[in-house]
Amino acid sequence: MHKPLWPALASTVLLASTLAGCGSSASPSSNAHTISPVLNVGNFAAYLPHEILHQFENKYHVHINYSTYPSNAELLAKMQAGQQFDVAVASDYMVQTMIKLGLLDKLNFSDIPNFKNIAPPFRNLAFDPHSVYSVPYLWGTVPIAVNTHEVHVPVTGYRSLLNPAFKDNLVVVDSPRTLVGIALMINGHNLNDTNSAALNQAQQTLDQFRSQVKVFNSNDPHVQLLNGEATAGIVWSGEGALAYSQDPWIVPVFPKSGVNKWFDNFIIPTSCQHKYTAELFINFLLSPKISAELENAEEYSDPNTAADPYIQKSLLTNPWLNPPAWVVDKGEVMTAIPASANEQFNTIWDDFKQS
């Protein structure tokens, strides 16, 4: 998640000269374990190196049609409009939403033996309790970022950011579910709480922070942290890791009041026509060296512990990518909420930004 909001425009990259496959009129192969000549893959923008895609193509002689989308909402809209993917990537709460809508196929884990590489804390999560429909791809958190070279006041939790030292000095992600969820956690609620009283309290809490925020940025908040425009903020762990790699004074703080732990996941839609090849693709990406190559490129946390020997040491020691054990165990994960509650989250967020 993570970048739950990716660049504003989706792009489509065709790695094959043909657009056959799930989006065509061709029927599925009669042999369930026949590798198809094409595979339609969907993912968030700038979230999978093309070199890895080419390695799969060359190994299995499969042409990949690679499409990107800017957000989970856009992925859902595309699927509901009839665009077909053999395999795609969706975030935690969206996986649960798609399960409820009957849009996802159960995975055949006999075709994904590398699932064994996924560490136990990253299986059977709240949005897919029995790991039936999804496989974790990358994960992360949304902690506080602090430039300890510039900040000379204690920062132990979100309320620390109300200190006058941070007036007009914070960069925060532009994400209603994330920030309203943090306001809920500050007040002792779960970040998925949809109770009206809890949400009203969250809105009042957010209002206290408005004068502190200088920049809303989901795409590259590391820029403001590095150029000095912001000395602290609330950002995706991958963005914090990128900032830390260039300036180790920029460190994460994981508030005891609660930390949002997010997961992006492989899914296979029910409309998929090349399921075996899709599962082969997932299994390929879960192989230790390929998974490490992915993390080395993307700089997010990898749930695949078998990849650790091949991951750059600088990433294995980066505090943004290796949070304390209690965060892994107790970090709160977004789940699906009713549409009416989602509208309330958005209203609170719009009022907050415009105030």
Side-chain angles (χ1 to χ4, degrees):
M1 227 171 124
H2 136 181
K3 297 181 179 179
L5 297 175
W6 282 263
L9 296 178
S11 64
T12 300
V13 180
L14 297 183
L15 298 179
S17 59
T18 176
L19 284 172
C22 288
S24 74
S25 59
S27 61
S29 169
S30 59
N31 186 338
H33 286 80
T34 296
I35 298 176
S36 65
V38 295
L39 185 70
N40 297 298
V41 178
N43 200 352
F44 298 111
Y47 210 37
L48 179 58
H50 285 179
E51 175 56 32
I52 292 179
L53 297 174
H54 293 316
Q55 288 182 55
F56 180 82
E57 288 184 311
N58 293 335
K59 182 173 182 177
Y60 294 103
H61 307 290
V62 174
H63 291 304
I64 294 178
N65 298 324
Y66 191 67
S67 302
T68 65
Y69 32 83
S71 66
N72 285 285
E74 181 70 15
L75 169 61
L76 178 62
K78 286 177 179 291
M79 290 173 60
Q80 291 181 319
Q83 182 169 343
Q84 295 174 316
F85 300 97
D86 289 318
V87 60
V89 173
S91 301
D92 31 46
Y93 70 94
M94 185 53 66
V95 171
Q96 187 178 33
T97 297
M98 290 178 173
I99 291 171
K100 291 181 177 180
L101 293 173
L103 294 174
L104 300 186
D105 203 358
K106 292 183 178 181
L107 302 176
N108 182 355
F109 284 92
S110 63
D111 294 331
I112 313 174
N114 283 331
F115 182 74
K116 69 180 184 295
N117 296 333
I118 300 296
F122 307 118
R123 305 182 191 185
N124 308 316
L125 298 165
F127 55 90
D128 185 8
H130 303 292
S131 292
V132 173
Y133 295 95
S134 64
V135 171
Y137 172 54
L138 293 172
W139 75 282
T141 57
V142 193
I144 298 171
V146 181
N147 186 329
T148 54
H149 185 67
E150 300 293 335
V151 173
H152 305 294
V153 297
V155 177
T156 58
Y158 297 110
R159 289 194 185 277
S160 299
L161 299 179
L162 292 174
N163 189 298
F166 297 113
K167 183 177 177 62
D168 195 33
N169 208 11
L170 301 180
V171 57
V172 301
V173 294
D174 192 353
S175 170
R177 284 294 307 270
T178 302
L179 268 295
V180 177
I182 285 174
L184 286 165
M185 289 191 291
I186 289 174
N187 293 311
H189 304 291
N190 183 279
L191 88 166
N192 299 298
D193 199 326
T194 59
N195 178 274
S196 293
L199 287 174
N200 288 336
Q201 188 180 18
Q203 183 168 21
Q204 294 172 10
T205 299
L206 275 181
D207 288 344
Q208 299 175 48
F209 282 88
R210 185 63 187 91
S211 63
Q212 310 296 83
V213 177
K214 184 169 189 175
V215 181
F216 295 93
N217 186 352
S218 286
N219 293 329
D220 52 6
H222 73 276
V223 171
Q224 282 78 36
L225 292 170
L226 288 171
N227 68 16
E229 192 174 355
T231 59
I234 300 173
V235 304
W236 318 126
S237 54
E239 285 292 305
L242 183 58
Y244 177 87
S245 68
Q246 299 178 56
D247 183 353
W249 288 100
I250 300 173
V251 300
V253 173
F254 298 95
K256 295 294 185 180
S257 60
V259 178
N260 175 203
K261 179 176 63 176
W262 56 262
F263 293 88
D264 289 334
N265 312 270
F266 297 114
I267 56 170
I268 294 183
T270 53
S271 59
C272 171
Q273 293 186 1
H274 305 123
K275 185 175 181 181
Y276 174 66
T277 308
E279 291 170 339
L280 194 67
F281 180 73
I282 294 172
N283 192 63
F284 174 79
L285 292 177
L286 293 182
S287 60
K289 289 185 178 181
I290 295 298
S291 186
E293 187 176 341
L294 174 63
E295 180 174 346
N296 289 337
E298 298 299 327
E299 295 195 7
Y300 279 94
S301 300
D302 192 342
N304 185 340
T305 54
D308 287 355
Y310 309 102
I311 293 173
Q312 296 171 10
K313 290 183 179 179
S314 61
L315 298 182
L316 291 174
T317 58
N318 190 312
W320 286 88
L321 304 180
N322 302 277
W326 71 265
V327 174
V328 178
D329 294 338
K330 298 181 180 180
E332 296 190 21
V333 180
M334 284 187 193
T335 55
I337 60 175
S340 57
N342 195 57
E343 290 178 6
Q344 191 169 358
F345 271 71
N346 290 334
T347 297
I348 291 172
W349 185 244
D350 289 342
D351 290 345
F352 170 64
K353 290 185 66 178
Q354 294 168 12
S355 63

